[in-house]
């Protein structure tokens, strides 16, 4: 069964408390895209906002650090109440140091790969990673179609993880639509990051459809 890490970027940002409570029963996690207007052109979630949202749900938060110098943001986001940190592969220098920075807080750690980054880049790290996030659209974009290469890339990630005898879970982020979810499901992903699929549809009906796949 696919699990949902619901992207709050697609929520009504002026009514986040209401939006969170509306989709809370249908989400295993909330995905917080953190953008600094340098690594990506957007500016999104910051620690004080995350801390303000934390009391409104018991569902875990994961912060996707789409920013330069992401290690400086680990402690502030952990302090704000997140349960996991996802780094962008190409924003890191010492990957082991980044993983250790999160594990020291006993939080989950993941790494995201852009469209042109192969899953083999993580072969030295599978044993330490809780999650790999396969981006299906250009980083920091919204409302874009999923690249057709993604189902095969998800299958590749699963093969590499199994070969490493690791327990890393596979997440598909970007272009999550009614027509792409069955392809993602069939490719062995554990998670999707639904945005408009959750917030623009009836979330209960959508989740019932998802669970029927």
């Amino acid at each position: 069964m696919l699990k949902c890490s619901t992207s709050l970027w697609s929520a009504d940002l002026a009514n986040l408390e209401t939006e969170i409570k509306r989709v809370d029963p249908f989400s295993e996690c909330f995905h917080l895209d953190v953008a600094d207007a340098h690594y990506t052109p957007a500016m999104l979630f910051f620690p004080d906002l995350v801390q303000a949202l934390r009391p409104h749900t018991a569902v875990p938060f994961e912060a996707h650090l789409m920013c330069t110098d992401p290690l400086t943001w680990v402690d502030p986001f952990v302090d704000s109440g997140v349960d996991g940190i996802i780094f962008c592969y190409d924003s890191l220098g010492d990957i082991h140091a980044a993983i250790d920075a999160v594990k020291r807080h006993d939080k989950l750690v993941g790494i995201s790969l852009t469209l042109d980054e192969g899953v083999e880049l993580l072969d030295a790290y599978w044993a330490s990673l809780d999650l790999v996030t396969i981006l299906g659209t250009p980083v920091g974009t919204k409302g874009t179609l999923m690249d057709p290469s993604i189902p095969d890339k998800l299958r590749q990630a699963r093969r590499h993880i199994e070969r490493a005898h690791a327990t890393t879970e596979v997440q598909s982020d970007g272009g999550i639509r009614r027509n792409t979810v069955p392809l993602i499901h069939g490719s062995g992903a554990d998670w999707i990051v639904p945005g408009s699929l959750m917030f623009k549809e009836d979330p209960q009906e959508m989740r019932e459809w998802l669970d029927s796949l």
Side-chain angles (χ1 to χ4, degrees), residues 33-102:
D33 286 303
V34 177
D36 63 355
H38 296 286
Y39 181 84
T40 65
M43 293 184 72
L44 290 165
F45 296 93
F46 51 93
D48 284 352
L49 176 58
V50 175
Q51 186 174 25
L53 296 175
R54 182 68 281 180
H56 299 301
T57 178
V59 171
F61 284 172
E62 61 182 17
H64 187 188
L65 301 184
M66 301 186 299
C67 55
T68 58
D69 199 14
L71 286 182
T72 63
W73 291 106
V74 170
D75 288 353
F77 276 101
V78 168
D79 291 343
S80 76
V82 303
D83 303 276
I85 299 282
I86 302 168
F87 296 105
C88 300
Y89 178 85
D90 62 357
S91 72
L92 297 174
D94 187 336
I95 291 176
H96 284 298
I99 293 171
D100 289 344
V102 177

Side-chain angles (χ1 to χ4, degrees), residues 2 111-115 117-120 126 131-137 146-163 168-176 180-193:
L2 282 170
I111 290 181
S112 66
L113 297 173
T114 59
L115 289 172
E117 291 173 339
V119 298
E120 69 279 356
W126 295 121
L131 185 74
V132 57
T133 300
I134 304 298
L135 298 180
T137 57
M146 186 182 80
D147 191 276
S149 66
I150 295 307
D152 185 57
K153 192 171 183 179
L154 294 168
R155 287 190 289 269
Q156 289 177 37
R158 177 62 63 207
R159 287 197 296 270
H160 280 250
I161 291 165
E162 291 174 353
R163 193 177 302 139
T168 314
E169 293 193 309
V170 179
Q171 183 181 78
S172 185
D173 181 7
I176 306 300
T180 59
V181 168
L183 299 174
I184 293 166
H185 179 262
S187 301
D190 302 290
W191 292 85
I192 56 171
V193 180

Side-chain angles (χ1 to χ4, degrees), residues 98-109 127-130:
I99 293 171
D100 289 344
V102 177
K103 293 293 189 181
R104 278 199 301 272
H105 294 286
D106 198 28
K107 303 297 182 182
L108 300 178
V109 62
S128 302
L129 289 176
D130 298 294

Side-chain angles (χ1 to χ4, degrees), residues 1-8 11 15-31 53-61 83 191 194-195 197-199 201-207 210-211:
M1 183 182 75
L2 282 170
K3 294 176 283 188
C4 289
S5 183
T6 300
S7 173
L8 292 182
N15 296 284
L16 280 173
E17 177 184 350
T18 300
E19 290 281 75
I20 285 171
K21 290 179 177 177
R22 183 167 69 90
V23 303
D24 178 296
F26 315 107
S27 307
E28 281 82 18
C29 189
F30 283 114
H31 187 91
L53 296 175
R54 182 68 281 180
H56 299 301
T57 178
V59 171
F61 284 172
D83 303 276
W191 292 85
L197 189 66
M198 183 72 79
F199 288 107
E201 297 194 23
D202 178 279
Q204 180 174 346
E205 190 278 330
M206 189 285 292
R207 189 59 200 246
L210 181 66
D211 292 345

